[in-house]
Amino acid sequence: MKTQLPRDTVRGIDRLITNVQTGHFERALSALTAAGALVTAAEIFLEHDKASFGNKWMWAPVVLGPVGAVAGVAGVFSRRAAKTALPLASAAIMANGLQGTWLHLQGIRQKPGGLSNLRYNLEMGPPLFAPLLVTMVGGMGVLASVLRREP
């Protein structure tokens, strides 16, 4: 026999909207930003280590990952951190992701054949779209910082 839920129970997308309106979602997004920053920083470290950190800028996302993670965790527990440290760290991560996209494009252009051999160089060169994933992690942190926080 099925258990009947009260008619006023909120489910699905309506629950998400309610969480955003009441401020519950802000803490969750701060935590997701922290986790995403750590995971992407670890992955970036492994990939850039394969390339022997040939460019000094390869260290930037590795360093910014833990900074974003600390800011995200702080944003979970502190309203002040969520409105100050988290957006600053997240904006830096976003800027570095955009910079990384540019640097990866330059790396593809430097491969033999450059952009005229685009398909091959996209497959064999630095991953063009990977830095945009980092940008999305930063975007989550910025979004978390502008959302309403529960009282």
Side-chain angles (χ1 to χ4, degrees):
M1 182 166 175
K2 289 186 177 181
T3 305
Q4 292 291 331
L5 295 173
R7 286 185 172 262
D8 61 347
T9 300
V10 181
R11 289 184 260 159
I13 193 73
D14 292 333
R15 180 181 206 84
L16 177 63
I17 291 169
T18 301
N19 285 340
V20 170
Q21 290 171 339
T22 60
H24 295 305
F25 190 63
E26 190 259 1
R27 287 181 188 216
L29 198 53
S30 294
L32 283 172
T33 300
L38 281 181
V39 169
T40 56
E43 178 66 22
I44 290 166
F45 175 82
L46 294 173
E47 292 301 316
H48 286 181
D49 190 43
K50 282 188 210 176
S52 302
F53 287 95
N55 182 327
K56 65 180 177 174
W57 283 108
M58 289 179 163
W59 284 103
V62 174
V63 171
L64 286 173
V67 171
V70 168
V73 169
V76 170
F77 297 104
S78 165
R79 177 185 185 94
R80 178 182 231 174
K83 303 302 180 189
T84 57
L86 184 58
L88 287 174
S90 297
I93 290 170
M94 285 178 63
N96 181 247
L98 294 173
Q99 175 195 31
T101 303
W102 173 255
L103 291 172
H104 281 211
L105 179 62
Q106 297 310 307
I108 290 167
R109 289 181 65 209
Q110 292 172 4
K111 300 291 281 176
L115 295 179
S116 62
N117 195 11
L118 186 60
R119 180 170 179 206
Y120 180 79
N121 287 340
L122 277 174
E123 293 174 1
M124 300 309 292
L128 182 60
F129 303 114
L132 293 176
L133 297 174
V134 176
T135 305
M136 288 177 53
V137 170
M140 288 188 329
V142 170
L143 178 60
S145 69
V146 299
L147 286 175
R148 178 178 181 204
R149 187 176 181 101
E150 62 189 334

